[in-house]
Amino acid sequence: MSLGLFEAITKPLPHPVVLCAGDGRILAANPAATASIPQLQAGASLYALAQDDPGALRAHLGNWLRSGSPLPGALVIKDSDGSRTRFRCHGVRATWWQGAEPVVQLHLHRLDHADRFTVLSQQVSALNREIAIRRTAEAQREELLLAEQAARARLQRLYQLTAALASSATLAQVAEAVATTAARVLEVDGVTLELHSQRLVPALEPGEDLRVLTETAWKDLDQPCDIARTMAVGAVRIALEADGVVLGALTVHPGSGGVPEPEHLTAVGQQIAQAVRRAGLYEHEHRVAERLQLSLLPRLPGVAGLEVATCYAPGSDMVMVGGDWYDLYDLDEDHIGLSTGDVAGHGLPQAAVMAQIIAALRGIVLRCGTHPQAVLTELNEYLHLYHRGQMATAAYLLYHRPTRALTYVKAGHPPPLVVRPDGSSRYLDGPISPPVGPVPGAHYRQGETVLAEGEAVLLYTDGLIERRGEPLDTGFDRLTATARRGAGLNVPDLCELFLNHQPGADYPDDRALLLARPDPPGPPGRSGDCRDG
């Protein structure tokens, strides 16, 4: 308690109250003391004001300083006019005082008034109790405030972990969130994440090599090299369990602050376990969808006069199969047909439509493959008749071996890219026609060009160039820049370069590519297949 609070508490009391040090120096006095004797004020000395023997006053002060309860005494104080005023008093050590030296709290009572020593003693005791209660309340309030601030900071850090885990879709992202956030949330030196990979992402076939396990942000408990592990001294290991399945463990390495509270460890462990379980299901469903998608895409045969490479990769945030396709048709000794397209939407219905389109196109191309307009016209009628409500973008190209002439039709599909040997390129921005499916009797217009020696043509789906919040022209420009970087590459390597031209980027949609380059006359051209997970 401060002097200000002492003065506030003693101000309304009707009797004098003085606070003085062991050497007699007055530190504070209430208004009743100053009204009784004007010299009784802060800064004065009891030895100068008292008429008693200094030795007796020193003995009184010594007794009061050593006492935990009020002790009686008597003082004679000399007024400014020379008169003397006798006081009975109670003195006690002020236990609430926080200064460097102890002080005495002295309650005075004039002898010319009614003798109320009993009441005075009760008032002194009550005042001491009130001061002690207020001091205790202040200390408790400070402790509660500190505890509240610590709890709020801990909760804020827990929210950060929750947000990081909620935005993590894959196991790699979850492990990264744990590595960068969990130690700060628990206020420890570090954490180690250990997972049972086979419980999270079971193999789809015996001996399958899961690339998800090549990440280094966690330890794989299902790998032989991790079976013999040792616990660091002082470390705490908590199980990560979700839906009754133990998915792994989180090893906590405490710092100077010691081991976190068990409740806090449990809360963090449960959050991580749920995120790991969710990411494992996502990884498994993503791989199943990818396997189904790849099984639907055709493997192209080699054809004379044309070197061909294909690539496919699923979207980074899609667990459903899609409707992207490519295909190649060896029509006769002079003509080769190429097609690519994308059924709108994602899911099993779209994948089924895509598979039926591939089959239907092969039948259509057998009849009229040398007439690109007729191919897409028949495909449009087929889709409208048998798959009402479905829509697809498509491109069909007819390549003439002897002249390297290329006739093409685009049905709402991105323009093919012709890549020159020096890396320069041009888009086939010829006539644009509507997508197939929604409009019966739609008219499809065709364009023509001739491939120079060494030029290649790239067919692709929109997942290669589209990004969220980005103009489509930016994707086109990025593709032409990639073509310049690919000067001198063979067809398979150039196709793979286009597929992964933005390493680490988020591809929201599937990517299907077909790259073809005319060969000099000779044996059938080579065919390459690049299918990326």
Side-chain angles (χ1 to χ4, degrees):
M1 185 173 69
S2 63
L3 283 177
L5 182 56
F6 170 83
E7 292 170 351
I9 293 175
T10 59
K11 181 177 181 180
L13 296 180
H15 62 276
V17 182
V18 176
L19 192 69
C20 64
D23 59 0
R25 179 167 39 89
I26 297 176
L27 302 178
N30 72 340
T34 306
S36 177
I37 304 293
Q39 287 77 12
L40 284 175
Q41 57 182 333
S45 173
L46 277 181
Y47 285 103
L49 297 176
Q51 293 293 311
D52 297 329
D53 178 23
L57 178 57
R58 188 175 298 109
H60 278 313
L61 287 173
N63 291 334
W64 291 332
L65 285 171
R66 290 190 295 272
S67 173
S69 301
L71 295 178
L75 284 177
V76 179
I77 304 297
K78 181 176 65 176
D79 204 346
S80 58
D81 58 0
S83 62
R84 297 189 303 172
T85 304
R86 296 180 63 83
F87 291 91
R88 287 182 181 179
C89 55
H90 275 73
V92 67
R93 178 174 177 174
T95 56
W96 51 266
W97 177 253
Q98 299 178 353
E101 57 181 350
V103 297
V104 172
Q105 184 175 298
L106 195 58
H107 293 253
L108 304 177
H109 180 69
R110 293 173 66 106
L111 288 180
D112 54 350
H113 292 171
D115 191 359
R116 296 177 293 176
F117 257 51
T118 302
V119 177
L120 182 60
S121 297
Q122 294 174 350
Q123 290 175 339
V124 170
S125 299
L127 179 60
N128 282 336
R129 285 196 301 271
E130 183 179 355
I131 291 174
I133 290 172
R134 292 198 179 194
R135 184 179 179 184
T136 303
E138 287 180 359
Q140 291 176 344
R141 184 177 62 181
E142 184 69 20
E143 290 177 0
L144 289 174
L145 180 60
L146 292 175
E148 181 183 354
Q149 290 174 345
R152 188 183 298 114
R154 174 180 291 181
L155 190 60
Q156 182 63 34
R157 291 192 295 270
L158 197 59
Y159 284 156
Q160 293 174 358
L161 176 63
T162 302
L165 293 175
S167 61
S168 301
T170 66
L171 283 170
Q173 292 169 345
V174 170
E176 180 66 21
V178 171
T180 58
T181 311
R184 185 169 63 253
V185 171
L186 293 170
E187 298 179 274
V188 295
D189 283 350
V191 297
T192 302
L193 184 62
E194 301 171 301
L195 300 176
H196 287 286
S197 58
Q198 292 298 329
R199 299 178 190 177
L200 290 167
V201 190
L204 297 179
E205 59 187 38
E208 183 180 23
D209 180 21
L210 304 179
R211 280 187 291 171
V212 69
L213 305 182
T214 62
E215 302 292 343
T216 58
W218 73 79
K219 293 183 179 180
D220 186 2
L221 296 176
D222 292 336
Q223 294 295 322
C225 60
D226 288 324
I227 293 178
R229 61 180 182 278
T230 57
M231 283 279 289
V233 177
V236 179
R237 195 165 184 264
I238 57 175
L240 301 178
E241 182 178 344
D243 301 329
V245 179
V246 176
L247 305 174
L250 183 72
T251 303
V252 178
H253 308 281
S256 57
V259 179
E261 298 175 359
E263 296 80 3
H264 194 34
L265 280 173
T266 301
V268 171
Q270 288 176 345
Q271 285 204 28
I272 294 175
Q274 292 297 330
V276 166
R277 179 66 167 168
R278 184 176 61 249
L281 291 174
Y282 176 91
E283 297 271 8
H284 183 61
E285 292 174 1
H286 192 275
R287 290 174 54 251
V288 170
E290 174 194 348
R291 185 66 58 87
L292 176 59
Q293 181 78 46
L294 292 176
S295 69
L296 296 175
L297 289 172
R299 291 191 178 274
L300 308 184
V303 293
L306 204 62
E307 184 181 4
V308 178
T310 59
C311 285
Y312 171 81
S316 57
D317 61 354
M318 296 293 181
V319 295
M320 295 186 296
V321 290
D324 295 31
W325 86 84
Y326 49 71
D327 208 348
L328 179 72
Y329 317 94
D330 192 3
L331 302 177
D332 54 43
E333 62 181 11
D334 289 338
H335 296 93
I336 301 172
L338 307 95
S339 76
T340 186
D342 181 10
V343 179
H346 276 81
L348 285 175
Q350 285 72 26
V353 171
M354 178 266 286
Q356 294 180 57
I357 285 177
I358 292 176
L361 265 176
R362 289 183 171 180
I364 294 172
V365 168
L366 283 177
R367 296 193 307 273
C368 52
T370 56
H371 302 282
Q373 288 176 309
V375 170
L376 287 194
T377 298
E378 285 203 25
L379 180 62
N380 180 61
E381 297 304 319
Y382 164 80
L383 200 61
H384 181 75
L385 180 62
Y386 294 103
H387 299 282
R388 291 290 180 92
Q390 296 286 355
M391 180 185 75
T393 65
Y396 179 79
L397 287 73
L398 178 66
Y399 174 68
H400 187 242
R401 286 186 179 97
T403 63
R404 293 199 295 269
L406 197 65
T407 306
Y408 60 92
V409 178
K410 299 177 298 175
H413 202 74
L417 180 69
V418 176
V419 183
R420 302 183 181 95
D422 61 358
S424 60
S425 59
R426 57 187 171 92
Y427 285 103
L428 297 182
D429 288 325
I432 300 175
S433 303
V436 294
V439 181
H443 178 64
Y444 294 92
R445 298 181 298 166
Q446 64 186 32
E448 295 181 358
T449 189
V450 175
L451 297 180
E453 184 176 352
E455 286 188 334
V457 61
L458 174 69
L459 284 71
Y460 55 93
T461 55
D462 56 8
L464 187 67
I465 55 174
E466 288 184 347
R467 300 291 179 274
R468 293 188 182 98
E470 181 181 271
L472 199 56
D473 287 344
T474 302
F476 287 131
D477 294 341
R478 190 164 47 236
L479 212 57
T480 56
T482 303
R484 287 192 293 272
R485 297 201 311 271
L489 292 179
N490 59 32
V491 170
D493 290 344
L494 183 57
C495 189
E496 188 168 358
L497 175 66
F498 279 118
L499 178 72
N500 301 300
H501 69 283
Q502 273 191 294
D506 179 27
Y507 291 92
D509 203 355
D510 300 347
R511 291 160 285 161
L513 291 76
L514 188 155
L515 182 67
R517 176 184 290 166
D519 270 346
R526 293 165 291 172
S527 178
D529 188 13
C530 165
R531 304 188 183 203
D532 185 19

